[in-house]
Amino acid sequence: MVIQTDALIIGAGPCGLFQVFELGLLGIKADIIDSLPAAGGQCTWLYPDKPIYDIPAVPVCTGAGLVASLMTQIEPFKPVFHLGEEVVALQPIEGGFRVRTAPGKEFLAKTIFIAGGVGSFQPRKLHLEGADDLEGRFIHYSVQDPALFKGKRLAILGGGDSALDWALALGPDAAALTLIHRRDDYRAAPASVAQLKSRAASGAVEIIESASATALRRNGDRLTGIELSLKDGSPRTVEADHVLVFFGLSPKLGPIAEWGLTLHKKAITVDTEAFQTNVPGIFAIGDICDYPGKKKLILSGFHEAALAAFAAKALLEPGKKVHLQYTTTSPLMHKRLGVAD
Ligand SMILES: Cc1cc2nc3c(=O)[nH]c(=O)nc-3n(C[C@H](O)[C@H](O)[C@H](O)COP(=O)(O)OP(=O)(O)OC[C@H]3O[C@@H](n4cnc5c(N)ncnc54)[C@H](O)[C@@H]3O)c2cc1C
Protein backbone atom coordinates (compact mmCIF):
# COMPACT_ATOMS: atom_id res chain seq x y z
CA MET A 1 0.00 0.00 0.00
CA VAL A 2 1.29 3.47 -0.88
CA ILE A 3 0.32 6.34 1.42
CA GLN A 4 -0.05 9.72 -0.26
CA THR A 5 0.46 12.84 1.83
CA ASP A 6 1.13 16.55 1.39
CA ALA A 7 3.61 16.63 4.28
CA LEU A 8 5.67 13.82 5.75
CA ILE A 9 7.55 14.47 8.96
CA ILE A 10 10.48 12.20 9.80
CA GLY A 11 10.99 12.22 13.57
CA ALA A 12 8.36 12.60 16.29
CA GLY A 13 10.54 14.43 18.81
CA PRO A 14 9.33 17.77 20.22
CA CYS A 15 10.23 19.63 17.01
CA GLY A 16 8.56 17.11 14.71
CA LEU A 17 5.43 17.29 16.87
CA PHE A 18 5.39 21.08 16.73
CA GLN A 19 5.86 20.87 12.96
CA VAL A 20 2.48 19.10 12.85
CA PHE A 21 0.97 22.09 14.64
CA GLU A 22 2.49 24.76 12.41
CA LEU A 23 1.46 22.86 9.27
CA GLY A 24 -2.01 22.31 10.69
CA LEU A 25 -2.52 26.03 11.27
CA LEU A 26 -1.86 26.54 7.56
CA GLY A 27 -4.32 23.81 6.61
CA ILE A 28 -1.72 21.13 5.78
CA LYS A 29 -2.32 17.66 7.20
CA ALA A 30 0.76 15.62 8.06
CA ASP A 31 1.90 12.05 8.48
CA ILE A 32 4.68 11.58 11.04
CA ILE A 33 7.10 8.66 11.33
CA ASP A 34 9.46 7.62 14.12
CA SER A 35 11.66 4.58 14.53
CA LEU A 36 10.78 4.46 18.22
CA PRO A 37 7.52 2.99 19.51
CA ALA A 38 6.39 6.25 21.20
CA ALA A 39 6.56 9.96 20.30
CA GLY A 40 8.75 12.51 22.08
CA GLY A 41 12.32 11.88 20.90
CA GLN A 42 14.99 12.76 23.45
CA CYS A 43 12.40 14.16 25.91
CA THR A 44 10.64 10.79 26.13
CA TRP A 45 13.59 8.46 25.83
CA LEU A 46 16.44 10.28 27.56
CA TYR A 47 14.92 12.49 30.26
CA PRO A 48 11.16 11.95 30.77
CA ASP A 49 11.25 12.90 34.48
CA LYS A 50 13.81 15.72 34.35
CA PRO A 51 12.61 19.33 34.56
CA ILE A 52 12.98 21.71 31.58
CA TYR A 53 13.07 25.42 32.46
CA ASP A 54 13.50 27.16 29.10
CA ILE A 55 10.29 26.56 27.17
CA PRO A 56 8.80 30.04 26.63
CA ALA A 57 5.93 30.77 29.03
CA VAL A 58 6.23 27.36 30.70
CA PRO A 59 8.31 28.03 33.83
CA VAL A 60 8.93 24.31 34.35
CA CYS A 61 7.78 21.00 32.90
CA THR A 62 9.27 17.53 32.59
CA GLY A 63 10.34 15.96 29.31
CA ALA A 64 7.28 13.68 29.42
CA GLY A 65 5.05 16.63 30.39
CA LEU A 66 6.23 18.67 27.40
CA VAL A 67 5.50 15.80 25.03
CA ALA A 68 2.05 15.27 26.57
CA SER A 69 1.25 18.99 26.08
CA LEU A 70 2.46 18.91 22.47
CA MET A 71 0.32 15.83 21.79
CA THR A 72 -2.71 17.69 23.17
CA GLN A 73 -1.86 20.81 21.15
CA ILE A 74 -1.70 18.89 17.85
CA GLU A 75 -4.87 16.84 18.44
CA PRO A 76 -7.09 19.13 16.30
CA PHE A 77 -4.91 18.40 13.26
CA LYS A 78 -5.25 14.61 13.56
CA PRO A 79 -1.76 13.68 12.36
CA VAL A 80 -1.28 10.07 11.28
CA PHE A 81 1.48 8.47 13.38
CA HIS A 82 3.64 5.66 12.03
CA LEU A 83 5.66 4.61 15.07
CA GLY A 84 8.26 1.87 15.32
CA GLU A 85 9.25 2.45 11.67
CA GLU A 86 12.60 3.76 10.53
CA VAL A 87 12.73 5.74 7.30
CA VAL A 88 15.37 3.94 5.28
CA ALA A 89 15.01 5.45 1.81
CA LEU A 90 14.04 8.82 0.37
CA GLN A 91 14.10 9.48 -3.33
CA PRO A 92 12.95 12.54 -5.31
CA ILE A 93 10.28 11.76 -7.93
CA GLU A 94 8.10 13.92 -10.19
CA GLY A 95 6.06 16.22 -7.93
CA GLY A 96 7.52 15.02 -4.64
CA PHE A 97 9.32 12.20 -2.92
CA ARG A 98 9.08 8.45 -2.51
CA VAL A 99 9.83 7.32 1.03
CA ARG A 100 10.23 3.79 2.34
CA THR A 101 10.35 2.59 5.92
CA ALA A 102 11.62 -0.61 7.51
CA PRO A 103 9.59 -2.83 7.76
CA GLY A 104 8.27 -1.69 4.37
CA LYS A 105 5.62 1.04 4.22
CA GLU A 106 5.79 3.32 1.21
CA PHE A 107 4.82 6.99 1.01
CA LEU A 108 4.45 9.49 -1.79
CA ALA A 109 4.90 12.91 -0.19
CA LYS A 110 4.82 16.36 -1.71
CA THR A 111 7.03 17.86 1.01
CA ILE A 112 9.35 16.33 3.60
CA PHE A 113 10.29 17.65 7.04
CA ILE A 114 13.29 15.96 8.58
CA ALA A 115 13.13 16.38 12.36
CA GLY A 116 15.43 13.47 13.07
CA GLY A 117 17.31 14.97 16.03
CA VAL A 118 20.61 13.22 16.47
CA GLY A 119 19.40 10.37 14.28
CA SER A 120 17.26 7.36 14.94
CA PHE A 121 17.80 5.75 18.29
CA GLN A 122 19.03 2.18 18.16
CA PRO A 123 19.42 -0.22 21.09
CA ARG A 124 23.02 -0.56 22.28
CA LYS A 125 24.03 -4.08 21.31
CA LEU A 126 25.59 -6.94 23.24
CA HIS A 127 29.05 -7.32 21.76
CA LEU A 128 29.60 -11.03 22.29
CA GLU A 129 30.44 -13.66 19.72
CA GLY A 130 27.28 -15.16 18.22
CA ALA A 131 24.97 -12.45 19.58
CA ASP A 132 24.07 -11.21 16.08
CA ASP A 133 23.20 -14.76 14.96
CA LEU A 134 20.86 -15.31 17.87
CA GLU A 135 19.25 -11.85 17.74
CA GLY A 136 15.49 -11.89 17.51
CA ARG A 137 15.25 -15.59 18.53
CA PHE A 138 17.19 -15.84 21.80
CA ILE A 139 18.81 -12.40 22.23
CA HIS A 140 16.32 -9.54 22.45
CA TYR A 141 16.62 -5.76 22.64
CA SER A 142 12.90 -5.12 23.11
CA VAL A 143 9.87 -7.13 24.11
CA GLN A 144 7.31 -7.48 21.34
CA ASP A 145 5.38 -10.46 22.71
CA PRO A 146 5.70 -11.21 26.45
CA ALA A 147 4.08 -14.65 25.89
CA LEU A 148 7.34 -15.81 24.24
CA PHE A 149 9.05 -15.71 27.64
CA LYS A 150 6.43 -17.62 29.64
CA GLY A 151 7.90 -20.66 31.41
CA LYS A 152 11.43 -19.87 30.15
CA ARG A 153 14.70 -19.18 31.95
CA LEU A 154 15.48 -15.51 31.42
CA ALA A 155 18.60 -13.42 31.91
CA ILE A 156 18.03 -9.66 31.77
CA LEU A 157 21.04 -7.39 31.31
CA GLY A 158 20.93 -3.74 32.41
CA GLY A 159 20.18 -1.45 35.33
CA GLY A 160 17.84 1.17 33.84
CA ASP A 161 14.07 1.45 33.80
CA SER A 162 13.53 -0.93 30.88
CA ALA A 163 15.62 -3.69 32.50
CA LEU A 164 13.90 -3.35 35.87
CA ASP A 165 10.38 -2.91 34.44
CA TRP A 166 10.69 -6.04 32.29
CA ALA A 167 12.28 -8.01 35.13
CA LEU A 168 9.26 -7.14 37.27
CA ALA A 169 6.76 -7.83 34.49
CA LEU A 170 8.21 -11.10 33.16
CA GLY A 171 9.47 -12.58 36.46
CA PRO A 172 6.19 -14.04 37.75
CA ASP A 173 5.60 -16.16 34.60
CA ALA A 174 9.23 -17.15 33.96
CA ALA A 175 10.76 -20.50 34.98
CA ALA A 176 13.68 -18.48 36.40
CA LEU A 177 14.81 -14.88 36.06
CA THR A 178 18.24 -13.38 36.71
CA LEU A 179 18.94 -9.65 36.48
CA ILE A 180 22.58 -8.99 35.67
CA HIS A 181 23.92 -5.46 36.13
CA ARG A 182 27.40 -4.10 35.48
CA ARG A 183 27.30 -1.86 38.57
CA ASP A 184 25.62 -1.91 41.96
CA ASP A 185 23.81 1.41 41.56
CA TYR A 186 20.81 1.71 39.27
CA ARG A 187 19.47 4.31 36.83
CA ALA A 188 15.97 2.85 37.23
CA ALA A 189 13.26 4.33 39.46
CA PRO A 190 14.13 3.59 43.11
CA ALA A 191 10.67 2.06 43.69
CA SER A 192 11.29 -0.55 40.94
CA VAL A 193 14.74 -1.35 42.35
CA ALA A 194 13.25 -1.81 45.83
CA GLN A 195 10.49 -4.06 44.47
CA LEU A 196 12.90 -6.29 42.56
CA LYS A 197 15.27 -6.51 45.54
CA SER A 198 12.39 -7.59 47.75
CA ARG A 199 11.50 -10.33 45.21
CA ALA A 200 15.15 -11.38 45.19
CA ALA A 201 15.11 -11.58 49.01
CA SER A 202 12.18 -14.00 48.80
CA GLY A 203 14.03 -16.10 46.20
CA ALA A 204 11.62 -15.36 43.32
CA VAL A 205 14.38 -13.82 41.18
CA GLU A 206 18.15 -13.52 41.37
CA ILE A 207 20.13 -10.29 41.07
CA ILE A 208 23.81 -10.38 40.13
CA GLU A 209 25.54 -7.00 40.46
CA SER A 210 28.97 -5.76 39.35
CA ALA A 211 29.18 -8.48 36.75
CA SER A 212 29.92 -8.33 33.06
CA ALA A 213 28.87 -10.74 30.33
CA THR A 214 31.84 -12.47 28.71
CA ALA A 215 30.38 -15.14 26.41
CA LEU A 216 27.23 -16.84 25.24
CA ARG A 217 26.69 -20.55 25.73
CA ARG A 218 24.88 -22.37 22.97
CA ASN A 219 23.89 -25.82 21.87
CA GLY A 220 23.88 -25.72 18.09
CA ASP A 221 21.81 -22.70 17.17
CA ARG A 222 20.04 -22.62 20.55
CA LEU A 223 21.09 -20.42 23.46
CA THR A 224 21.67 -22.27 26.73
CA GLY A 225 23.20 -19.62 28.95
CA ILE A 226 25.47 -16.66 29.46
CA GLU A 227 28.91 -16.57 31.04
CA LEU A 228 29.83 -13.78 33.42
CA SER A 229 32.88 -12.35 35.07
CA LEU A 230 32.07 -11.33 38.65
CA LYS A 231 33.53 -8.38 40.56
CA ASP A 232 36.37 -10.49 42.02
CA GLY A 233 37.21 -11.85 38.56
CA SER A 234 35.67 -15.27 39.16
CA PRO A 235 33.53 -16.80 36.40
CA ARG A 236 29.88 -17.69 36.71
CA THR A 237 27.42 -19.20 34.24
CA VAL A 238 23.72 -18.35 34.27
CA GLU A 239 21.55 -20.86 32.43
CA ALA A 240 19.10 -19.08 30.17
CA ASP A 241 16.79 -19.77 27.24
CA HIS A 242 16.57 -16.07 26.41
CA VAL A 243 18.77 -13.06 27.12
CA LEU A 244 17.11 -9.64 27.15
CA VAL A 245 19.51 -6.75 26.77
CA PHE A 246 18.58 -3.23 27.93
CA PHE A 247 21.78 -1.17 27.67
CA GLY A 248 19.94 1.96 26.52
CA LEU A 249 19.64 3.61 23.13
CA SER A 250 22.29 5.30 21.05
CA PRO A 251 21.59 7.67 18.17
CA LYS A 252 22.63 6.88 14.61
CA LEU A 253 22.30 9.38 11.74
CA GLY A 254 21.97 6.26 9.63
CA PRO A 255 20.05 6.39 6.36
CA ILE A 256 19.57 10.20 6.51
CA ALA A 257 23.22 10.56 5.53
CA GLU A 258 22.52 8.80 2.22
CA TRP A 259 19.77 11.02 0.79
CA GLY A 260 21.97 13.44 -1.14
CA LEU A 261 21.55 16.26 1.36
CA THR A 262 24.37 18.66 2.14
CA LEU A 263 25.74 17.74 5.57
CA HIS A 264 28.00 19.58 7.96
CA LYS A 265 29.25 17.88 11.12
CA LYS A 266 26.56 15.15 10.99
CA ALA A 267 23.78 17.75 10.58
CA ILE A 268 21.81 18.90 7.52
CA THR A 269 22.66 22.32 6.13
CA VAL A 270 19.59 24.57 5.73
CA ASP A 271 18.91 28.21 4.92
CA THR A 272 17.49 30.36 7.70
CA GLU A 273 14.60 31.78 5.71
CA ALA A 274 12.74 28.52 5.09
CA PHE A 275 14.90 25.88 6.81
CA GLN A 276 15.04 24.18 3.45
CA THR A 277 17.88 21.82 2.50
CA ASN A 278 19.76 21.79 -0.80
CA VAL A 279 16.85 19.72 -2.21
CA PRO A 280 13.77 21.92 -2.75
CA GLY A 281 10.79 20.48 -0.87
CA ILE A 282 12.91 18.85 1.83
CA PHE A 283 13.08 20.89 5.03
CA ALA A 284 15.12 20.09 8.14
CA ILE A 285 14.37 21.41 11.61
CA GLY A 286 15.38 20.82 15.23
CA ASP A 287 18.66 19.28 16.34
CA ILE A 288 19.36 17.75 12.92
CA CYS A 289 19.64 21.05 11.04
CA ASP A 290 22.69 23.23 10.82
CA TYR A 291 23.15 26.92 9.99
CA PRO A 292 25.40 29.67 11.31
CA GLY A 293 24.59 30.22 14.98
CA LYS A 294 22.40 27.09 15.35
CA LYS A 295 21.65 26.19 18.97
CA LYS A 296 20.32 22.72 19.72
CA LEU A 297 17.43 23.91 21.87
CA ILE A 298 13.77 22.98 21.69
CA LEU A 299 12.69 26.63 21.34
CA SER A 300 14.94 27.04 18.28
CA GLY A 301 13.28 24.00 16.70
CA PHE A 302 9.83 25.50 17.29
CA HIS A 303 10.79 28.67 15.39
CA GLU A 304 12.31 26.62 12.58
CA ALA A 305 9.08 24.58 12.31
CA ALA A 306 6.99 27.75 11.88
CA LEU A 307 9.10 29.14 9.05
CA ALA A 308 9.40 25.76 7.30
CA ALA A 309 5.60 25.42 7.36
CA PHE A 310 5.12 28.81 5.65
CA ALA A 311 7.67 27.89 2.99
CA ALA A 312 6.01 24.52 2.39
CA LYS A 313 2.59 26.17 2.03
CA ALA A 314 4.01 28.41 -0.69
CA LEU A 315 5.45 25.34 -2.45
CA LEU A 316 2.23 23.35 -2.20
CA GLU A 317 0.08 26.24 -3.43
CA PRO A 318 2.29 28.14 -5.86
CA GLY A 319 1.12 31.61 -6.83
CA LYS A 320 -1.12 31.91 -3.78
CA LYS A 321 -0.08 34.48 -1.16
CA VAL A 322 0.41 32.99 2.32
CA HIS A 323 -1.01 35.43 4.85
CA LEU A 324 0.12 35.53 8.44
CA GLN A 325 -2.90 35.15 10.66
CA TYR A 326 -3.13 35.34 14.43
CA THR A 327 -4.60 32.37 16.29
CA THR A 328 -6.14 34.93 18.66
CA THR A 329 -8.36 36.62 16.11
CA SER A 330 -8.51 34.65 12.85
CA PRO A 331 -11.81 32.78 12.23
CA LEU A 332 -9.95 30.50 9.78
CA MET A 333 -7.40 29.56 12.43
CA HIS A 334 -10.25 28.94 14.88
CA LYS A 335 -11.93 26.66 12.36
CA ARG A 336 -8.71 24.70 11.82
CA LEU A 337 -8.13 24.50 15.57
CA GLY A 338 -11.71 23.39 16.10
CA VAL A 339 -12.47 26.17 18.58
CA ALA A 340 -15.65 28.27 18.56
CA ASP A 341 -15.51 31.94 17.50
C1 LIG B 1 19.53 15.16 29.22
C2 LIG B 1 19.06 16.24 28.24
C3 LIG B 1 18.50 17.38 28.72
C4 LIG B 1 18.05 18.38 27.84
N1 LIG B 1 17.50 19.54 28.35
C5 LIG B 1 17.06 20.50 27.50
C6 LIG B 1 16.51 21.72 27.99
O1 LIG B 1 16.42 21.94 29.21
N2 LIG B 1 16.06 22.65 27.09
C7 LIG B 1 16.16 22.45 25.73
O2 LIG B 1 15.72 23.32 24.96
N3 LIG B 1 16.72 21.31 25.24
C8 LIG B 1 17.17 20.35 26.08
N4 LIG B 1 17.75 19.20 25.58
C9 LIG B 1 17.89 19.08 24.10
C10 LIG B 1 16.52 18.71 23.48
O3 LIG B 1 16.03 17.51 24.05
C11 LIG B 1 16.70 18.59 21.98
O4 LIG B 1 17.09 19.84 21.47
C12 LIG B 1 15.37 18.17 21.34
O5 LIG B 1 14.96 16.89 21.79
C13 LIG B 1 15.51 18.14 19.83
O6 LIG B 1 14.27 17.78 19.32
P1 LIG B 1 14.13 17.14 17.88
O7 LIG B 1 12.65 16.93 17.69
O8 LIG B 1 14.89 17.95 16.92
O9 LIG B 1 14.90 15.73 17.96
P2 LIG B 1 14.81 14.48 18.92
O10 LIG B 1 14.19 14.80 20.22
O11 LIG B 1 16.18 13.90 18.94
O12 LIG B 1 13.83 13.49 18.14
C14 LIG B 1 14.20 13.00 16.88
C15 LIG B 1 13.38 11.78 16.57
O13 LIG B 1 13.63 11.41 15.20
C16 LIG B 1 13.64 9.99 15.11
N5 LIG B 1 14.37 9.60 13.89
C17 LIG B 1 15.62 9.96 13.52
N6 LIG B 1 15.95 9.39 12.33
C18 LIG B 1 14.87 8.68 11.95
C19 LIG B 1 14.59 7.86 10.81
N7 LIG B 1 15.48 7.65 9.82
N8 LIG B 1 13.38 7.26 10.76
C20 LIG B 1 12.46 7.44 11.73
N9 LIG B 1 12.67 8.19 12.84
C21 LIG B 1 13.87 8.80 12.93
C22 LIG B 1 14.34 9.57 16.40
O14 LIG B 1 14.01 8.22 16.73
C23 LIG B 1 13.78 10.57 17.42
O15 LIG B 1 12.64 10.09 18.09
C24 LIG B 1 18.20 18.21 26.44
C25 LIG B 1 18.76 17.02 25.96
C26 LIG B 1 19.21 16.03 26.84
C27 LIG B 1 19.81 14.78 26.30
Side-chain angles (χ1 to χ4, degrees), residues 10-16 33-36 41-42 46-47 52 54 85-87 115-121 256 286-287 296-298:
I10 301 170
C15 303
I33 308 179
D34 204 297
S35 50
L36 292 169
Q42 296 174 50
L46 299 184
Y47 57 101
I52 309 175
D54 58 350
E85 300 207 25
E86 185 183 25
V87 176
V118 278
S120 60
F121 288 107
I256 294 175
D287 278 12
K296 291 188 179 183
L297 286 171
I298 294 165

Side-chain angles (χ1 to χ4, degrees), residues 270-295:
V270 290
D271 63 60
T272 50
E273 190 185 337
F275 298 94
Q276 194 163 217
T277 66
N278 59 309
V279 179
I282 303 185
F283 301 85
I285 62 148
D287 278 12
I288 199 140
C289 76
D290 181 64
Y291 52 86
K294 166 68 184 172
K295 298 283 176 282

Side-chain angles (χ1 to χ4, degrees), residues 35-158:
S35 50
L36 292 169
Q42 296 174 50
C43 299
T44 298
W45 296 94
L46 299 184
Y47 57 101
D49 303 322
K50 287 204 166 55
I52 309 175
Y53 298 99
D54 58 350
I55 303 299
V58 180
V60 60
C61 67
T62 60
L66 177 70
V67 173
S69 298
L70 284 164
M71 293 294 277
T72 304
Q73 195 171 18
I74 65 177
E75 254 170 32
F77 304 120
K78 300 188 174 45
V80 183
F81 280 91
H82 307 268
L83 297 175
E85 300 207 25
E86 185 183 25
V87 176
V88 289
L90 187 159
Q91 182 195 4
I93 53 163
E94 182 71 31
F97 304 90
R98 186 190 302 278
V99 169
R100 197 165 40 78
T101 66
K105 229 177 246 173
E106 209 168 285
F107 295 83
L108 292 182
K110 290 186 186 153
T111 55
I112 302 281
F113 298 81
I114 303 178
V118 278
S120 60
F121 288 107
Q122 310 286 325
R124 288 202 175 87
K125 296 285 175 87
L126 180 64
H127 295 297
L128 292 182
E129 203 185 322
D132 290 351
D133 271 9
L134 300 175
E135 187 176 329
R137 289 179 300 138
F138 304 108
I139 306 280
H140 310 268
Y141 296 98
S142 64
V143 176
Q144 308 296 334
D145 177 13
L148 180 70
F149 304 111
K150 229 176 164 168
K152 305 288 185 200
R153 299 166 304 168
L154 309 179
I156 296 190
L157 306 187

